[in-house]
Amino acid sequence: MKRYDFEYLIVGAGPAGLQLGYFFQKNNMDYCILEKGNDAGEFFKAFPRHRKLISSNKVYTGFTDPELNMRWDWNSLISDSPEMLFKNYSKEYFPHADDLVRYLHDFAKHYSLNILYNTAAENIAKDADGLFHITDGNNVEYVCKYLIMASGLSLPYKPDFKGIELCDNYFDCSVNPDDYINKRVLIVGKGNSAFETADNLVATTSMIHLISPSPVKFAWDTHYVGHLRAVNNNVLDTYQLKSQNALMNGNIDKIEKNAEGKFILTVNYGQVTGGEVEEIEYDSVIVCCGFKFNSTIFDSTAMPQLMINNRFPKMNADWESANVKNMYFAGNVTHSRDFKKTTSGFIHGFRYNSRALYHILNYKNYDVDFDCEVMSLEADAIADVVIRKINMTSTLWQQFGFFGDLIVADKNSGTARYINGLPVDFINESLCRNEDCYFIITLEYGHAQTESVFSTKVTRINKNDYERADESLFLHPVIRKYSKGKVVSEQHLIEDFRSIFDRHEHIYPLKQYLGRELEAVSQLLEQQEA
C-alpha cells in the first residue's frame, strides 16, 4: 500500500476546504486536500436541485472598500485577489449554482491549491501514536497529525416515521415538473429545500401540501438565513389565496401505499385540534428535510461524537472534535456551534470560521500569537479604534453575536491589544480564561421582538434616546467587559437605520462606558497593590 504523509489533511474541496487551503498554501504549510470528485465544489454540481442559489450576490453597494463589500457578498471566499471575487462570475442577485462551481474551480486553480481529486476518504482511523490514517479506494493511505473534515453535510437527513422508505427524497427526486402533472403531492418539511421544490411544481400539480410539526419560520423575522427566504415563498401566496395548496402543522404517524399505488398519510395534528387524526391520499411524497454529516467513513478509533439528531459532529469552541483530539471541522458542519442562530451553515459565515481556524491552529500548535493592533489604554484611544472597526467589519456583520473583536487590557504597560474576529466562546473558554480584564465587541440583533418586523407595532428608538440602546431590535454594536470568562458589564450602542455607527449618540456613550470601566480596573489594581 502506498503511503503519503502530511502534517495537515483536509477532507473535501468545497468552499470550506478551499478557504482553509488558501491560508495553508499562502503560509507554506504542509497540507493536502482530498476530494472524492473530479473538481472543486462537487456538491454544487447537484445542489440546490433547482439551481438557484439563495446566497446574495450584491454587486453594486455604493462602496469601494473590499472588506465592507463582503457584508453583502455571500459567495466569495476570503483572498487577496480582486479577481477572485464572485461578482466577476455573475451579476445575478440570486446566482445560478453552475456559476459557483466555475468560481470554486478557478479559485483552486488560481492559488494552485494542493488538491488530490478522485480521492475518496473511504476509511478514517487513528493509531496509538495519535496519527490519522485515511485510506481511499485505490489502496493508498494518507497519514496526518491534524485532520480537518470539510466534507460538509453530504447525506440526506430522513426523519423517523413509518413508511419513509416509500418516499422520494429531495436528494435525488425528479425535478421535471411534467413528471407531476395533475398529481397530489405531499412535501415533508418547511425549509428552503421544501419550498424550493414546491415552487418548482406549483404550475403542474393539482395540489401541494407541506407538512412538519412546527409552523414555518421566516428569515425576515428570525434573521436566520436558513429559515424560509422570500425568494422561495411563492406557495404561501397560493395557500392564502385558496389555490389548492396548503401548509399543515402535524406529526406524521405513518405513510402507507394502497392497492392503487397511492400514498396514504396518517397525520396527527396534536393538542391544537384536540388530538385530531386524519388520513389524506397523495400521488407522490417528497421528503425535503435537509442533510447530515457522513460518519460512516470513520472506524471506532476515530468516530466523532454526533449531536442534533446525529446530523452534526459535536465540537469545541475551536472546532476541534469533542472526543477525538486533533480532528477539526470546517464548513457547514461547524453550524453545530451556532445552529439556527447565525451563519456558520453558509459560505458567508463559515469562510470566517475557516480563517479563524487557521489562526487558532497556528496559536495552538506553533505558539504564533494572533495579529493585533496596539493602542493606549485610554477610553478615547480605544473608542476611536472600536468605532473605526465596527463601521468596516464584515466578520462581525456576518457572524453576528457569534464572533467578536477582542480588546485585552494590560495595565502594567498602559496599552491594550485589539484582535480581530474570533469566536466569542473560544475567547472566553480558552484564549482569555485567565485574563482579569478584557472587552469583546459584537454586532447583535435585539431579543425583545415579538411582532413581525413589518408590523406597525415595531418601532425604532429615537437616535437621541441612546440611553435605551439596549432595546434596539436591529443589528447594533455591543461591548462587554469580561473577567476570566464572566461578563462584568455591557454597553449597547443604539441601532442606526443605515448601520453607520459614528455619530455623537454612538461615540459619547462608548467613551463614557470605557472611561468608567477602565477607572474601575485602575482602582482594583491599586487596592491589590496596597
Side-chain angles (χ1 to χ4, degrees):
M1 178 181 287
K2 291 183 180 179
R3 170 172 167 161
Y4 298 94
D5 288 72
F6 299 91
E7 186 169 17
Y8 293 92
L9 277 175
I10 301 170
V11 176
L18 300 184
Q19 184 67 89
L20 194 56
Y22 163 80
F23 290 106
F24 283 3
Q25 181 77 16
K26 187 177 179 180
N27 292 277
N28 300 310
M29 297 178 73
D30 180 25
Y31 82 100
C32 184
I33 302 174
L34 307 182
E35 168 55 48
K36 66 179 180 181
N38 60 12
D39 202 354
E42 192 78 11
F43 177 87
F44 292 99
K45 292 181 179 180
F47 301 100
R49 296 297 311 282
H50 305 94
R51 312 309 291 144
K52 179 187 283 189
L53 300 175
I54 57 173
S55 47
S56 307
N57 179 41
K58 200 170 191 298
V59 175
Y60 306 105
T61 67
F63 297 99
T64 58
D65 184 270
E67 170 67 14
L68 190 59
N69 281 332
M70 289 291 268
R71 290 182 172 188
W72 305 287
D73 176 350
W74 289 12
N75 298 284
S76 294
L77 300 180
I78 300 166
S79 78
D80 56 7
S81 172
E83 296 176 55
M84 288 293 102
L85 291 172
F86 188 76
K87 68 180 183 180
N88 299 321
Y89 289 77
S90 175
K91 296 294 189 288
E92 296 293 323
Y93 190 74
F94 293 117
H96 196 283
D98 289 350
D99 292 326
L100 182 59
V101 173
R102 187 163 53 93
Y103 168 72
L104 296 174
H105 166 88
D106 288 355
F107 189 94
K109 184 177 180 180
H110 182 87
Y111 289 106
S112 301
L113 301 185
N114 186 22
I115 304 173
L116 294 178
Y117 294 109
N118 300 306
T119 305
E122 295 191 350
N123 186 72
I124 298 176
K126 191 176 185 184
D127 66 24
D129 295 323
L131 298 177
F132 294 96
H133 297 254
I134 298 94
T135 54
D136 67 9
N138 300 314
N139 202 33
V140 178
E141 183 179 53
Y142 303 89
V143 181
C144 65
K145 183 176 182 181
Y146 304 103
L147 175 65
I148 299 103
M149 296 301 301
S151 51
L153 302 172
S154 57
L155 297 179
Y157 172 69
K158 299 178 181 179
D160 184 19
F161 61 79
K162 184 179 179 181
I164 192 169
E165 72 281 356
L166 303 174
C167 308
D168 292 330
N169 195 283
Y170 174 82
F171 199 82
D172 52 12
C173 69
S174 171
V175 295
N176 182 358
D178 290 346
D179 290 339
Y180 300 88
I181 288 177
N182 209 32
K183 289 186 176 181
R184 295 161 296 179
V185 176
L186 175 69
I187 296 175
V188 181
K190 294 201 196 95
N192 281 294
S193 63
F195 278 89
E196 167 201 332
T197 301
D199 193 43
N200 182 55
L201 302 180
V202 73
T204 58
T205 54
S206 64
M207 179 182 76
I208 300 174
H209 289 171
L210 295 93
I211 186 170
S212 71
S214 303
V216 63
K217 293 183 179 180
F218 301 101
W220 62 56
D221 281 334
T222 66
H223 308 296
Y224 173 60
V225 297
H227 285 147
L228 181 60
R229 304 284 299 285
V231 68
N232 283 328
N233 71 10
N234 181 51
V235 169
L236 293 179
D237 195 58
T238 69
Y239 174 33
Q240 294 298 83
L241 298 177
K242 306 181 297 296
S243 295
Q244 294 187 284
N245 303 319
L247 275 63
M248 298 187 293
N249 300 329
N251 292 297
I252 298 175
D253 283 350
K254 61 182 176 179
I255 291 178
E256 299 175 300
K257 260 189 175 182
N258 64 17
E260 289 76 36
K262 305 297 183 182
F263 294 87
I264 309 300
L265 164 72
T266 303
V267 55
N268 187 325
Y269 294 110
Q271 295 306 311
V272 175
T273 60
E276 178 187 355
V277 176
E278 184 177 14
E279 289 188 352
I280 309 175
E281 182 179 286
Y282 299 95
D283 299 300
S284 181
V285 181
I286 305 172
V287 177
C288 300
C289 294
F291 298 84
K292 68 176 184 178
F293 180 68
N294 181 11
S295 61
T296 64
I297 59 176
F298 299 91
D299 80 3
S300 59
T301 61
M303 177 63 71
Q305 186 177 350
L306 302 178
M307 60 183 297
I308 311 175
N309 296 322
N310 293 327
R311 292 179 61 188
F312 290 85
K314 186 175 183 179
M315 58 195 77
N316 301 324
D318 58 0
W319 301 293
E320 185 177 20
S321 168
N323 66 307
V324 183
K325 185 176 175 58
N326 292 334
M327 178 188 293
Y328 292 85
F329 299 95
N332 59 5
V333 294
T334 61
H335 199 29
S336 66
R337 292 289 311 182
D338 62 345
F339 188 59
K340 294 189 177 181
K341 294 179 182 177
T342 52
T343 60
S344 293
F346 314 88
I347 292 174
H348 65 289
F350 66 63
R351 64 190 178 195
Y352 301 103
N353 296 10
S354 290
R355 179 172 65 184
L357 176 59
Y358 160 73
H359 289 298
I360 289 171
L361 290 171
N362 270 343
Y363 171 77
K364 290 178 66 175
N365 299 336
Y366 315 118
D367 293 322
V368 177
D369 206 355
F370 297 94
D371 292 337
C372 67
E373 181 175 341
V374 180
M375 70 206 77
S376 172
L377 190 58
E378 298 175 349
D380 286 0
I382 295 175
D384 288 345
V385 176
V386 171
I387 292 296
R388 170 165 53 87
K389 294 286 189 177
I390 60 177
N391 282 289
M392 299 302 292
T393 175
S394 67
T395 308
L396 306 192
W397 179 276
Q398 301 289 23
Q399 288 288 52
F400 50 91
F402 184 60
F403 266 58
D405 284 356
L406 169 65
I407 300 173
V408 182
D410 184 351
K411 189 64 179 177
N412 294 327
S413 65
T415 61
R417 294 184 299 133
Y418 194 109
I419 300 172
N420 294 315
L422 290 172
V424 171
D425 288 346
F426 170 73
I427 294 172
N428 286 323
E429 296 173 16
S430 180
L431 186 62
C432 292
R433 66 180 182 271
N434 296 318
E435 292 285 346
D436 290 319
C437 178
Y438 60 97
F439 299 85
I440 299 177
I441 302 97
T442 56
L443 292 177
E444 299 178 21
Y445 288 98
H447 301 290
Q449 183 173 323
T450 57
E451 301 286 340
S452 168
V453 69
F454 300 118
S455 170
T456 56
K457 296 180 182 179
V458 175
T459 58
R460 292 183 180 274
I461 302 170
N462 187 296
K463 68 178 183 179
N464 296 317
D465 200 7
Y466 52 77
E467 291 183 357
R468 295 173 54 207
D470 59 328
E471 299 176 31
S472 296
L473 296 180
F474 200 65
L475 200 67
H476 64 281
V478 183
I479 180 167
R480 293 182 177 90
K481 179 184 173 184
Y482 291 82
S483 179
K484 297 179 179 178
K486 303 296 183 182
V487 177
V488 175
S489 65
E490 69 179 38
Q491 176 70 46
H492 291 246
L493 304 185
I494 196 167
E495 64 184 43
D496 179 82
F497 188 70
R498 298 171 300 159
S499 297
I500 298 173
F501 311 103
D502 63 356
R503 295 188 296 280
H504 171 77
E505 58 265 28
H506 303 113
I507 297 171
Y508 176 76
L510 176 62
K511 288 185 176 181
Q512 290 292 104
Y513 169 75
L514 289 170
R516 289 194 306 270
E517 295 304 325
L518 292 176
E519 178 62 25
V521 173
S522 297
Q523 292 176 358
L524 179 62
L525 288 176
E526 289 173 1
Q527 291 173 4
Q528 291 175 346
E529 290 173 359

